[in-house]
Amino acid sequence: MDKFTTLTGIAAPMPLVNIDTDMIIPKQFLKTIQRSGLGKNLFDEMRYTQDGQEIPDFVLNQPAYRSAQILVAGDNFGCGSSREHAPWALLDFGIRCVISTSFADIFYNNCFKNGILPIVLPQDQVDILMADAKKGANARVTVDLAAQTVTSSDGQSFAFEVDPFRKHCLLNGLDDIGLTLEKAAAIDTFEKKVATLRPWA
Amino acid sequence: MTAPRTLYDKIWDDHVVHQAEDGTCLLYIDRHLVHEVTSPQAFEGLRMTGRTVRAPEKTIAVPDHNVPTTAGRDKHIDNEESRIQVEALDKNAKDFGINYYPVSDIRQGIVHIVGPEQGWTLPGMTVVCGDSHTATHGAFGALAHGIGTSEVEHVLATQTLIQKKSKNMKVEITGSLRPGVTAKDITLSVIGATGTAGGTGYVIEYCGQAIRELSMEGRMTVCNMAIEGGARAGLIAPDEKTYQYVMGRPHAPKGAKWEAALAYWKTLFTDEGAHFDKVVTIKGEDIAPVVTWGTSPEDVLPITGVVPAPEDFTGGKVEAAKRSLDYMGLTPGMKLTDIAIDTVFIGSCTNGRIEDLRAAAAILKGKKIKVKRAMVVPGSGLVRAQAEEEGLAQIFIDAGFEWRLAGCSMCLAMNPDQLAPGERCAATSNRNFEGRQGRGGRTHLLSPAMAAAAAITGHLTDVREMMSEQV
Ligand code: SF4
């Protein structure tokens, strides 16, 4: 997993609420057995017509946002299916950070496993960043994970919360599985205990 | 004396392997269910790092999402990518020595139907799967939730998951349901009341008389859609019905182990006075048969209602409603019962069990469909066999339904069962998202009985009217 420390980039505005993972990456692209290559199909049905032409109105098709690295989105982003293809597609497109008033639980989790930082901020602050994002390519938003701040293009800075363990993993690009395997002895002990307590399990 | 605990607290406490200072826990996983779409990258990860599956005997795999539901699929799957995914699961199951129900096995079916059916899912367990509808298993009083592919790999390698505890939410359905109202109407009504983000950060425990009165199948329908309300999991405390359902299943405990298990299961309830962070109460009598009108499962209305206008909403929902109405091709003020239906889909992990097929068949018996197409996709090969034995299959076929093989099918339309643009479907599944059942396809969620009613009349219909006809 790539480290996430600081990021300064173009933020694309997507004010729609309840953007679900079916929208982020429609099911026909879940047939892959790889993690990479999904970026071209990110938001596929919103981004292309049935015959594969770009829909010019869609935000990521607009010249200003084609290399966006941040999304500022409406409430409850990432709801629906657990498909990790959603963060894979975002990452493959180049998005490293999503800002919203709330995220669906599984999607939120999946982001951290892939070096994407989901940031929850109150409505008024998201509104300010949304307005900032609408200014286009000159408006660069800065995210500093160590300091836990997001700064708009005109210098307004907002603090955000992040779980310390997740922050640590993201800052250092750590693999969860490796960390857990260091606790193998504790897992062994637990299994032995359960074998007598709940032998049917 | 320990403080009173909720059911969720108890299951959680019994599975903590390690707790870090910040409250992050390593949670032990009793059952790991696997399907072909969200697992290939996880197995690939194991191979790349030289890791193995820690507890193959607790890992159960079945292909369901991608498989065609027409005959001959055990010989050949036309779509190349689907075939590769199914073959990859065949190989991964074999290489890593996990329990497996291939397409050719009569026990194959939707992973959330197979788990309970085979007795893998038991009260008090932790159950995960790379699929959001893992919440279904909560009907047994098991802590069950969906995970992403990285977590699938984590569970394969370590049989644990890194988790932070969620908050406790109680959803109580008091009293009894009225005739024609089902578990599906309960779960949709709850989402209608709380919104799709209402449960975010919570584990829901469903309780109350109406829940107790549901069969295990109905309880699975309720818990299945906990995720649509945003919750991490849904739970229902086990009781006699639960034990009866589990007893004698292939992987349920037997003999002395059964007795020990039963004694433990009887401790699985929320203690008197335990704290819930959020409580929602709905009167069972107030729940009507419902349908969805929009493209979010929270867009729920009683079948007697009319299509809403964007101005009926506030905030971001105004725009979302505009977009939904446009996508769904509906005009505000239109009666829901005037919405004409092209296709009816009965199936999915929400409503693909035997009881669902019975409910639909009861309405369909001796009638013919008026919709262009209608299909039943049983949740498992065993459900299908039982429905054939009970004569339900014949009722469906006589009415004009296609009688399919088991799988997810048109619930997510990854296989060839898809809606065409603009095609309108009455579906017993769980998601009405844009494009969910095929690009441009329009989905109305409802119960199996309501789906059957729509199939007969060709438009959304209040099933209660047909029921009075029958008496
Ligand atoms: S039936 Fe639908 S919701 Fe259930 S597991 Fe399959 S695709 Fe998911």
Side-chain angles (χ1 to χ4, degrees), chain B residues 265-328:
Chain B
W265 295 345
K266 290 186 172 166
T267 67
L268 298 173
F269 55 84
T270 291
D271 296 330
E272 193 67 37
H275 175 72
F276 283 96
D277 303 278
K278 188 169 176 177
V279 178
V280 173
T281 308
I282 296 177
K283 284 195 194 130
E285 290 82 6
D286 288 354
I287 301 175
V290 290
V291 296
T292 60
W293 56 268
T295 54
S296 165
E298 71 191 15
D299 299 339
V300 175
L301 281 174
I303 182 67
T304 48
V306 298
V307 175
E311 305 80 64
D312 298 345
F313 301 94
T314 54
K317 192 70 193 170
V318 179
E319 269 314 303
K322 258 187 219 155
R323 188 182 166 98
S324 283
L325 290 174
D326 184 46
Y327 181 88
M328 293 296 288

Side-chain angles (χ1 to χ4, degrees), chain B residues 100-128:
Chain B
Y100 190 47
Y101 303 101
V103 194
S104 55
D105 193 313
I106 190 169
R107 295 167 297 177
Q108 178 272 345
I110 304 170
V111 65
H112 308 307
I113 292 193
V114 172
E117 200 169 70
Q118 293 300 318
W120 290 111
T121 307
L122 299 173
M125 282 186 159
T126 45
V127 181
V128 297

